[in-house]
């Protein structure tokens, strides 16, 4: 290790740059705070609908490569109309 390098960055014998544990802990703490803030953030109805459709698309696309986002949008609109009609 070269003593001239900052403590957060060191070079190993293979020449790869690695981060020291203290840098990783700081990043982990920052990431944990962001994740915690996201956990408690309420979603608007539009965001919830977009996430639901994205989830449906991703899961059905795995099983059937012919699925399109338009098909998911159409199915979601039909389901919403059926629920509203009850």
């Amino acid at each position: 290790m070269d003593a001239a390098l900052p403590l957060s960055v060191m070079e190993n014998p293979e020449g790869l740059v690695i981060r020291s544990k203290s840098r990783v802990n700081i990043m982990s703490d920052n990431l944990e705070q962001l994740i915690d803030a996201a956990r408690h953030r309420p979603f608007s109805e539009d965001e919830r609908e977009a996430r639901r459709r994205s989830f449906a698309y991703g899961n059905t696309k795995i099983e059937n490569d012919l699925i399109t986002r338009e098909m998911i949008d159409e199915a979601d609109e039909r389901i919403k109309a059926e629920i509203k009609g009850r």
Side-chain angles (χ1 to χ4, degrees):
M1 284 181 256
D2 188 348
L5 289 172
L7 290 177
S8 63
V9 178
M10 295 175 278
E11 195 170 304
N12 66 15
E14 291 82 30
L16 302 173
V17 175
I18 58 174
R19 301 261 181 224
S20 73
K21 189 170 175 78
S22 63
R23 177 75 176 161
V24 171
N25 287 341
I26 291 170
M27 292 303 290
S28 295
D29 291 343
N30 290 339
L31 181 58
E32 187 64 38
Q33 289 172 354
L34 288 171
I35 290 170
D36 192 47
R39 244 184 228 122
H40 296 92
R41 181 187 169 275
F43 288 102
S44 71
E45 189 56 38
D46 289 342
E47 288 172 315
R48 191 177 308 278
E49 182 175 313
R51 290 174 64 96
R52 184 180 62 247
R53 288 181 181 196
S54 177
F55 179 81
Y57 173 74
N59 282 292
T60 55
K61 185 73 169 177
I62 290 170
E63 297 294 327
N64 183 347
D65 201 40
L66 300 176
I67 295 293
T68 64
R69 289 192 182 271
E70 292 77 21
M71 294 168 78
I72 297 299
D73 292 341
E74 291 168 5
D76 190 47
E77 292 301 322
R78 277 195 314 269
I79 292 168
K80 284 194 310 187
E82 287 176 18
I83 292 171
K84 189 177 180 181
R86 290 182 186 172

